Amino acid sequence: RKEVEQDPGPFNVPEGATVAFNCTYSNSASQSFFWYRQDCRKEPKLLMSVYSSGNEDGRFTAQLNRASQYISLLIRDSKLSDSATYLCVVKGGGYQKVTFGTGTKLQVIP
Amino acid sequence: GAVVSQHPSWVICKSGTSVKIECRSLDFQATTMFWYRQFPKQSLMLMATSNEGSKATYEQGVEKDKFLINHASLTLSTLTVTSAHPEDSSFYICSARDLGGANEKLFFGSGTQLSVL
């Protein structure tokens, strides 16, 4: 089983739609969780950290479920500019290893 | 502005040559940096964790003698791809961990596209 798993997609959604991504992780000792956005052939950029109580930043909402070992990202009112690959990132383990999921590709269609 | 500088952005080299990629943290000290490789349409794959002043920790399947990592200062880590071959052609990205402030942050370099002919 992969350490961090995501549905690769692609998710093709119309503008204005709401879309949700899930990510599961295998290491129960994982401590920190993040969502990154990566545009084609660019470096990943931090979208938001994920806190235990859930957190929201504008149209983006992230949630963490430690019992089931998954995190989620909800995007409301999708914009064309949201088209990108969204990477789930998990930190933890013996030497604070950072592990990326395979990424979920989102394509917002006009 | 960028807080992690990666250089060069792209390099084309002949098979058998060595290529050095630099990763610098610009306004913070990074005791730990990470090196990733990304093949087309695939996710970032961690190659190794670079620790200042000590040996790098390599992921399973990554040849430490082929991918030499040096982290001699708190702001610079280098990755040298030795005797590069076409199968080493990939997008290499570094990241640096900023432990200052209330929350730890991970910043990425802009990546290096390596093409080995």
Side-chain angles (χ1 to χ4, degrees):
Chain A
R1 181 185 174 188
K2 291 182 180 177
E3 292 183 61
V4 180
E5 291 199 68
Q6 293 181 252
D7 181 343
F11 284 57
N12 297 312
V13 301
E15 270 188 289
T18 295
V19 62
F21 307 136
N22 286 330
C23 167
T24 58
Y25 59 95
S26 61
N27 185 352
S28 59
S30 298
Q31 299 171 349
S32 304
F33 310 88
F34 311 88
W35 283 102
Y36 276 76
R37 170 195 170 128
Q38 185 180 26
D39 294 289
C40 187
R41 310 315 276 170
K42 301 281 188 180
E43 74 275 22
K45 294 188 177 178
L46 179 65
L47 181 65
M48 58 196 305
S49 302
V50 186
Y51 302 118
S52 298
S53 56
N55 48 300
E56 186 175 307
D57 182 3
R59 298 181 293 109
F60 300 86
T61 301
Q63 291 192 316
L64 166 64
N65 185 318
R66 285 191 183 272
S68 301
Q69 294 183 203
Y70 79 82
I71 68 173
S72 64
L73 176 68
L74 182 77
I75 304 176
R76 291 181 298 277
D77 188 23
S78 299
K79 311 289 185 191
L80 295 176
S81 57
D82 293 334
S83 298
T85 295
Y86 290 82
L87 301 168
C88 168
V89 179
V90 175
K91 185 170 80 74
Y95 55 98
Q96 295 295 292
K97 179 178 170 181
V98 175
T99 305
F100 283 79
T102 51
T104 299
K105 186 172 182 179
L106 172 66
Q107 186 69 48
V108 181
I109 304 165
Chain B
V3 295
V4 174
S5 173
Q6 185 172 342
H7 178 80
S9 298
W10 58 270
V11 59
I12 302 173
C13 68
K14 293 181 179 179
S15 185
T17 60
S18 295
V19 175
K20 179 186 281 189
I21 303 170
E22 292 188 350
C23 182
R24 294 180 185 272
S25 56
L26 298 181
D27 56 4
F28 65 95
Q29 294 182 330
T31 55
T32 304
M33 292 187 178
F34 303 93
W35 287 96
Y36 296 85
R37 180 168 52 182
Q38 186 175 35
F39 292 106
K41 298 184 179 181
Q42 294 187 25
S43 182
L44 292 167
M45 295 299 296
L46 179 64
M47 298 175 67
T49 301
S50 172
N51 304 297
E52 188 269 334
S54 64
K55 291 182 180 180
T57 304
Y58 289 82
E59 294 301 300
Q60 191 173 10
V62 178
E63 299 174 60
K64 62 180 181 180
D65 295 328
K66 180 169 182 62
F67 299 98
L68 301 179
I69 291 173
N70 184 283
H71 194 155
S73 79
L74 287 171
T75 58
L76 174 64
S77 176
T78 61
L79 169 68
T80 301
V81 183
T82 62
S83 187
H85 288 93
E87 58 265 29
D88 298 323
S89 299
S90 186
F91 191 55
Y92 293 85
I93 304 179
C94 72
S95 68
R97 178 178 277 162
D98 182 3
L99 297 175
N103 299 304
E104 175 186 324
K105 294 181 176 63
L106 191 64
F107 296 101
F108 286 83
S110 55
T112 298
Q113 181 64 53
L114 171 63
S115 296
V116 184
L117 305 178

